[in-house]
Amino acid sequence: MNFRFQNLLGAPYRGGNTVISNNTLLISPVGNRVAVTDLLKSHTTTLPCQSSSNISRIAVSPDGTFLLTVDDRNRCHFINLSRRVVLHRISFKHPVSVAKFSPDGSLIAVAAGKLVQIWRSPGFRREYFPFELLRTFADFDGKVTTLDWSPDSNYLLAGSKDLTARILYLKKSKKGALRYRPFLLLGHRDSVVGSFFAVEPKTNRVRRAYTVARDGVLFSWGFVDGSVSDAMDAEGSEPESPGTPERVAEGNLNVENGAVKKRKECDGEIDDEEGYLCRGKWELLRKDFLGQAPEKVTACDYHRGLDTLVIGYSNGVFGLYQMPDFVCLHLLSISREKITTVVFNELGNWLAFGCAKLGQLLVWEWRSESYILKQQGHYFDVNCLAYSPDSQLLATGADDNKVKVWTVSSGFCFVTFSEHTNAVTALHFMASNNCLLSASLDGTVRAWDLLRYRNFRTFTTPSSRQFVSLTADQSGEVICAGTKDYFEIFVWSMRTGRLLDVLSGHEGPVHALMFSPTNNILTSSSWDKTVRLWDVFDGKGAVETFPHTHEVLTVVYRPDGRQLACSTLDGQIHFWDPIEGLLMYTIEGARDIAGGRLMTDRRTSANSSSGKFFTTLCYSADGSYILAGGVSRYICMYDVADQVLLRRFQITLNLSLDGVLDFLNSKNMTEAGPLDLIDDDNSDIEDGVDKQTRVNLGFGLPGSLPNRGRPIIQTKCLRIAPTGRSFVAATTEGVLVYSVDESFIFDPTDLDINVTPEAVEEALGENQPSRALVLSLRLNEDSLIKKCIFAVMPGDIPAVARSIPSRYLKRLIEALADLIENCPHLEFVLRWSQELCKAHGNSIQQMSRNLLPSLKSLQKGITRIHQDLADTCSSNEYMLRYLCSSGAKE
């Protein structure tokens, strides 16, 4: 199967600034990727392009076409948002704290360290070096923290850690010299974290400016148009600022007669509007403390059209202020941790907030005081996954004691269960699709109702145990859970909640349990080097034992129940026949799963034996291939029949994680250890993005991780959707979703010299839909197959369906499943599905194993449409009653 990355779940936000494009698209960094959320359609996607480390800053062009991302290693990507591809790359020499497009989209302002650089926006031009540096301002004595463009793209208002804000004029003289020096706004007692231009509504001219200091003091500045500084020489005296004594008239005359005259001779006549913000005066109109002492300002944004300012504080409180009167419209708390980003949309009615430490992303409509979006990822790593039988829902359990249920199609979490008091280790969906089971280290197994969103049953043991595995039989009547500490398997009744039996015999933690899909045999794997088969219903205990030479880490059944696979600590995957009890074959996977070198490793990755084993396995829907993952950056796909490696998926390129590189750079090794593990960062936590939040979680305690909590890349769980069209992986980066690549791949099934696209078009022109459809199925081109399906008249569907050979049923069902998801002609596609089942019912039953993934995809689409129609009818029930009653009265 040709899988490609589709989405990233479990971590909506991890740090950095967020932006809103086209008024409805919320763009936020997630690790080294970028997530795009459509706030109207309630749908989120993740761009497939990756940065080399965690993204710290993003900027979007005014028309929403281009996206600029900068990571922690100062590497920048220039991305086409609509095509989702990287157009250009560049590396900056200094850490980037702010990046913004100009209002006309032609320029990009970048605050790199103490510099403000003006770059030409590359656009779609094909050039060897598309980024062109136009200007550099190096007048700052501290790190530049904030930038704002004027509406005409000629001025920048820059705030810095040197307690000043400066107005920069971008144009140069003909000889390349500065026409006007930056104008300084002084008086701040802390770093400037926000600086904004304000305009007059009628003239759209800049007449005011606002600056926000980190200590919570807001400054309002007014522009005074005067002639005192009209003649300021670019190479002359210091720039004026509020509080500077006025110069005597004689000095002004000298400057007027000298500098201006000289500049006129060099550049010609000067327009009165040119550089007026730097030639005029700025005076302090008002200063007020709006902070939450002793809390600091961590994020702020300004909407120019509404003249409204929003400020986020380090205690999770935000304030909304109407300018220029400093009127507080709202002062609310949205989190217990600091707000790391806040942004207005274009209309100014929505506010987007981000809290990096909690992984929280909120969009709030401030006029109606209601949430448009409220998403929060898992605080710690995801341990386990479970697909619903219809493949529409995905459940995740993590070390933060929470169980979340996601809608796979939209990427949104719609319910969170937090009753567990310890890490969630296993999940299982019941066949009814409305019940979810979860096991935890707190010693409980809980059953969740997904219709009423409640915990309706809790299974416990007489004494405290730690559960690490979970399963249920096909009927859903028996629940089994394996323990980590006492090596037992507990069996409960789902109906009564009573403990039925305790299975003993293992001599190590029982880390995997699974019922056979075809009978009532329970299979368990343990670190005692055995796989055991149990007859739970007859009470016979272990009926068979499969011994191994190394510890068994996990076990899974093939969907038809005729084979089971288990992985061992030596990196092998063993395939057993559970009926005959024979070892069928073995895959040597230690070299395939070999991970990178950790920062604390004394040996190279090739010579190290750590991590060269699989901790999770998952069969495909038809059982033809198997996925395997472990403590590595790779996920391996093996062909079961031939025992060969088909493909390796590299789950991340993020160098902020440990274990991504095979070879470490020797220049980063010092006498005190690896340079990356030495904490020499003395910057304030409010500056930009915090480092990985896991650094502050107490990993410096005795017995903690030796690399100070730097996350190690690994895959903890793998699950393939029952439809076979996608699979998910619980990794350090989050839950990665891979789906089948829908792009055309030439893979004909029955090709000869007469099977061509021209032959298909000819058959359609001669009104032979049956022949055209068979030719398109032999050619196996998706667009032609769908074209031939729509060419069939509704009355001819039964005859054409009967003429399709049974060997092409799988491809035709896949095309119908895709159409029912994306096509508006619902009745037409349903008619096709019905007639196909009528004509080929016996063939479908005989080939059920091969057709099962395609049939489940079709069932998934029909179920989703049925639910949508049911919800629509239910919401319109009273309206329909009113219309019917009104018609009866008339």
Side-chain angles (χ1 to χ4, degrees):
M1 299 292 287
N2 184 35
F3 289 99
R4 66 172 179 180
F5 174 80
Q6 181 190 18
N7 209 350
L8 175 63
L9 307 179
Y13 175 71
R14 287 183 179 174
N17 66 308
T18 59
V19 294
I20 297 181
S21 174
N22 296 330
N23 204 50
T24 58
L25 292 181
L26 177 63
I27 305 174
S28 59
V30 184
N32 67 331
R33 300 178 186 267
V34 177
V36 181
T37 303
D38 192 323
L39 299 176
L40 288 183
K41 298 180 180 179
S42 297
H43 182 269
T44 181
T45 57
T46 306
L47 302 185
C49 42
Q50 298 186 60
S51 295
S52 60
S53 59
N54 291 330
I55 295 175
S56 59
R57 291 294 155 192
I58 61 175
V60 66
S61 61
D63 59 357
T65 303
F66 302 114
L67 177 68
L68 189 78
T69 65
V70 184
D71 61 20
D72 292 339
R73 294 173 178 259
N74 310 326
R75 296 176 180 176
C76 172
H77 285 177
F78 192 81
I79 302 171
N80 184 346
L81 261 181
S82 58
R83 298 298 299 272
R84 304 172 60 175
V85 294
V86 178
L87 300 179
H88 310 291
R89 294 175 174 86
I90 188 176
S91 294
F92 296 105
K93 296 182 179 179
H94 305 281
V96 176
S97 55
V98 188
K100 280 193 176 182
F101 279 86
S102 61
D104 58 6
S106 62
L107 303 175
I108 302 173
V110 177
K114 298 180 181 181
L115 306 177
V116 174
Q117 298 176 338
I118 309 300
W119 298 80
R120 186 188 65 173
S121 179
F124 291 107
R125 291 184 299 272
R126 293 185 177 181
E127 300 178 10
Y128 178 74
F129 191 77
F131 282 90
E132 179 185 352
L133 181 60
L134 302 179
R135 291 287 302 276
T136 298
F137 296 92
D139 300 327
F140 297 90
D141 297 327
K143 177 181 176 182
V144 181
T145 55
T146 175
L147 294 173
D148 189 41
W149 285 91
S150 64
D152 57 3
S153 303
N154 289 330
Y155 300 91
L156 269 177
L157 180 57
S160 172
K161 292 186 69 175
D162 61 4
L163 313 185
T164 66
R166 307 182 187 216
I167 299 176
L168 311 175
Y169 184 57
L170 306 186
K171 290 187 177 180
K172 289 184 178 181
S173 65
K174 293 180 180 179
K175 294 185 179 181
L178 295 177
R179 292 200 177 205
Y180 305 102
R181 296 187 59 130
F183 196 96
L184 271 68
L185 304 178
L186 304 178
H188 309 90
R189 295 188 177 183
D190 206 340
S191 303
V192 179
V193 296
S195 59
F196 311 100
F197 280 122
V199 300
E200 290 182 346
K202 295 181 180 180
T203 61
N204 201 34
R205 287 169 56 92
V206 175
R207 289 297 178 182
R208 294 192 313 276
Y210 304 116
T211 57
V212 183
R214 197 180 62 174
D215 56 4
V217 179
L218 174 61
F219 294 77
S220 176
W221 309 90
F223 175 69
V224 180
D225 195 2
S227 60
V228 174
S229 59
D230 283 349
M232 185 181 298
D233 187 6
E235 301 175 358
S237 58
E238 292 295 325
E240 285 197 3
S241 60
T244 303
E246 293 188 3
R247 300 177 181 178
V248 296
E250 182 180 356
N252 294 338
L253 292 175
N254 291 336
V255 174
E256 176 67 27
N257 296 328
V260 173
K261 182 177 179 180
K262 182 178 178 181
R263 194 166 61 245
K264 286 182 178 180
E265 292 175 355
C266 296
D267 301 334
E269 284 298 324
I270 299 178
D271 186 6
D272 291 339
E273 296 295 323
E274 183 179 3
Y276 73 98
L277 293 184
C278 292
R279 291 188 288 115
K281 275 189 174 182
W282 288 86
E283 62 181 16
L284 180 61
L285 301 178
R286 184 174 177 180
K287 180 175 72 172
D288 200 356
F289 176 74
L290 303 178
Q292 302 286 311
E295 305 298 336
K296 301 292 185 180
V297 175
T298 56
C300 58
D301 193 30
Y302 173 73
H303 192 274
R304 196 168 289 162
L306 300 178
D307 201 10
T308 305
L309 182 71
V310 60
I311 299 177
Y313 301 97
S314 56
N315 59 350
V317 175
F318 80 93
L320 191 65
Y321 303 93
Q322 183 65 55
M323 308 302 291
D325 300 325
F326 293 25
V327 177
C328 182
L329 302 177
H330 291 282
L331 190 63
L332 299 174
S333 175
I334 60 172
S335 173
R336 63 180 182 272
E337 299 293 341
K338 75 167 187 175
I339 299 173
T340 53
T341 180
V342 60
V343 64
F344 277 102
N345 69 336
E346 293 178 10
L347 295 180
N349 56 338
W350 291 348
L351 283 168
F353 300 94
C355 178
K357 195 168 185 180
L358 297 180
Q360 194 174 40
L361 200 60
L362 308 173
V363 178
W364 192 62
E365 210 285 321
W366 62 273
R367 287 192 175 94
S368 63
E369 301 184 12
S370 60
Y371 283 108
I372 305 299
L373 171 72
K374 192 174 183 180
Q375 290 289 300
Q376 182 175 356
H378 285 289
Y379 191 61
F380 295 107
D381 289 345
V382 177
N383 292 326
C384 48
L385 303 166
Y387 259 114
S388 63
D390 60 1
S391 301
Q392 295 192 31
L393 305 179
L394 178 70
T396 59
D399 285 336
D400 60 358
N401 313 340
K402 294 180 181 179
V403 176
K404 291 179 177 289
V405 185
W406 308 75
T407 304
V408 178
S409 58
S410 67
F412 277 8
C413 171
F414 65 90
V415 63
T416 300
F417 301 112
S418 55
E419 278 80 355
H420 282 296
T421 58
N422 210 328
V424 180
T425 54
L427 294 170
H428 183 82
F429 256 105
M430 304 297 285
S432 63
N433 208 59
N434 297 322
C435 178
L436 174 67
L437 300 176
S438 64
S440 171
L441 295 179
D442 62 3
T444 63
V445 174
R446 297 178 182 269
W448 310 96
D449 186 353
L450 296 183
L451 294 179
R452 299 176 179 85
Y453 303 142
R454 63 186 181 93
N455 175 210
F456 69 91
R457 190 145 298 154
T458 302
F459 305 95
T460 58
T461 57
S463 58
S464 179
R465 296 288 189 272
Q466 290 185 320
F467 295 112
V468 291
S469 56
L470 177 67
T471 190
D473 70 329
Q474 298 297 315
S475 64
E477 294 294 329
V478 174
I479 310 298
C480 300
T483 60
K484 176 182 180 180
D485 41 7
Y486 287 89
F487 320 143
E488 298 168 330
I489 301 173
F490 291 85
V491 183
W492 296 274
S493 170
M494 182 67 179
R495 182 172 301 176
T496 62
R498 293 177 52 196
L499 180 63
L500 301 178
D501 198 359
V502 179
L503 305 179
S504 303
H506 278 298
E507 299 176 358
V510 184
H511 268 269
L513 287 175
M514 190 172 185
F515 271 99
S516 171
T518 56
N519 53 45
N520 295 322
I521 297 297
L522 174 67
T523 303
S524 63
S525 66
S526 172
W527 290 2
D528 62 1
K529 305 179 182 180
T530 63
V531 172
R532 296 175 184 262
L533 274 60
W534 311 80
D535 192 340
V536 177
F537 292 89
D538 292 342
K540 296 180 180 179
V543 295
E544 194 163 359
T545 301
F546 299 152
H548 297 77
T549 57
H550 291 78
E551 289 81 354
V552 183
L553 305 178
T554 186
V555 65
V556 289
Y557 264 102
R558 199 168 68 181
D560 61 358
R562 296 173 180 246
Q563 186 183 89
L564 63 86
C566 60
S567 65
T568 54
L569 196 61
D570 59 348
Q572 295 184 352
I573 304 177
H574 303 273
F575 296 89
W576 294 84
D577 184 344
I579 300 175
E580 302 295 333
L582 301 176
L583 179 64
M584 303 174 66
Y585 26 79
T586 301
I587 292 178
E588 296 278 352
R591 291 183 178 269
D592 301 329
I593 195 62
R597 183 176 180 179
L598 303 182
M599 285 294 177
T600 53
D601 283 350
R602 299 298 180 184
R603 302 177 181 177
T604 62
S605 59
N607 297 328
S608 175
S609 60
S610 62
K612 294 185 178 181
F613 50 83
F614 300 104
T615 58
T616 177
L617 298 174
C618 186
Y619 270 103
S620 65
D622 57 0
S624 60
Y625 61 90
I626 191 170
L627 291 174
V631 186
S632 170
R633 65 182 186 275
Y634 294 116
I635 297 174
C636 300
M637 177 187 289
Y638 292 99
D639 183 270
V640 176
D642 298 330
Q643 303 98 55
V644 295
L645 178 67
L646 298 177
R647 186 179 175 186
R648 284 201 308 181
F649 299 91
Q650 184 168 352
I651 58 181
T652 187
L653 302 174
N654 192 354
L655 300 181
S656 299
L657 304 177
D658 215 353
V660 176
L661 292 177
D662 289 327
F663 302 97
L664 302 182
N665 196 337
S666 58
K667 73 177 183 180
N668 293 329
M669 183 61 67
T670 65
E671 295 180 356
L675 191 63
D676 292 340
L677 300 184
I678 299 176
D679 187 10
D680 59 349
D681 186 12
N682 58 358
S683 63
D684 298 320
I685 61 173
E686 285 81 13
D687 290 345
V689 187
D690 290 345
K691 294 183 177 180
Q692 283 280 359
T693 55
R694 275 166 274 205
V695 175
N696 302 321
L697 297 180
F699 283 115
L701 299 176
S704 63
L705 295 181
N707 59 352
R708 297 197 181 184
R710 181 169 179 174
I712 300 174
I713 187 64
Q714 61 179 317
T715 302
K716 290 190 175 182
C717 187
L718 286 169
R719 291 293 181 267
I720 294 182
T723 59
R725 305 286 292 175
S726 63
F727 74 88
V728 292
T731 69
T732 311
E733 286 276 82
V735 180
L736 304 180
V737 182
Y738 290 83
S739 63
V740 176
D741 191 349
E742 299 296 342
S743 59
F744 171 67
I745 297 175
F746 187 66
D747 185 20
T749 56
D750 189 10
L751 191 64
D752 58 36
I753 194 173
N754 297 321
V755 181
T756 62
E758 291 77 12
V760 176
E761 297 291 346
E762 182 181 355
L764 290 176
E766 297 175 357
N767 197 18
Q768 298 180 4
S770 299
R771 180 170 171 267
L773 183 57
V774 172
L775 286 174
S776 65
L777 289 170
R778 294 174 64 184
L779 196 61
N780 199 14
E781 185 173 344
D782 188 67
S783 59
L784 283 178
I785 294 174
K786 294 177 180 177
K787 183 177 181 179
C788 294
I789 290 175
F790 285 117
V792 180
M793 300 297 293
D796 298 336
I797 292 178
V800 176
R802 288 193 295 269
S803 66
I804 302 298
S806 58
R807 61 179 178 272
Y808 302 135
L809 286 178
K810 180 179 180 180
R811 186 65 189 89
L812 183 57
I813 294 174
E814 289 177 354
L816 292 176
D818 185 60
L819 286 175
I820 206 167
E821 290 277 359
N822 307 306
C823 173
H825 309 292
L826 176 59
E827 184 180 0
F828 183 79
V829 180
L830 289 176
R831 179 76 182 277
W832 257 107
S833 304
Q834 183 182 17
E835 296 300 333
L836 206 62
C837 292
K838 287 182 180 179
H840 299 278
N842 293 332
S843 300
I844 291 174
Q845 187 174 6
Q846 294 174 3
M847 299 187 300
S848 59
R849 177 182 170 182
N850 293 330
L851 296 179
L852 186 61
S854 304
L855 292 173
K856 285 190 174 181
S857 297
L858 183 62
Q859 181 189 16
K860 172 187 173 183
I862 295 174
T863 303
R864 185 186 62 82
I865 292 176
H866 179 269
Q867 291 178 352
D868 292 344
L869 290 175
D871 294 341
T872 303
C873 294
S874 178
S875 62
N876 293 333
E877 179 181 0
Y878 294 102
M879 179 62 71
L880 293 174
R881 289 182 181 179
Y882 171 75
L883 294 176
C884 292
S885 61
S886 300
K889 291 180 181 179
E890 293 177 358

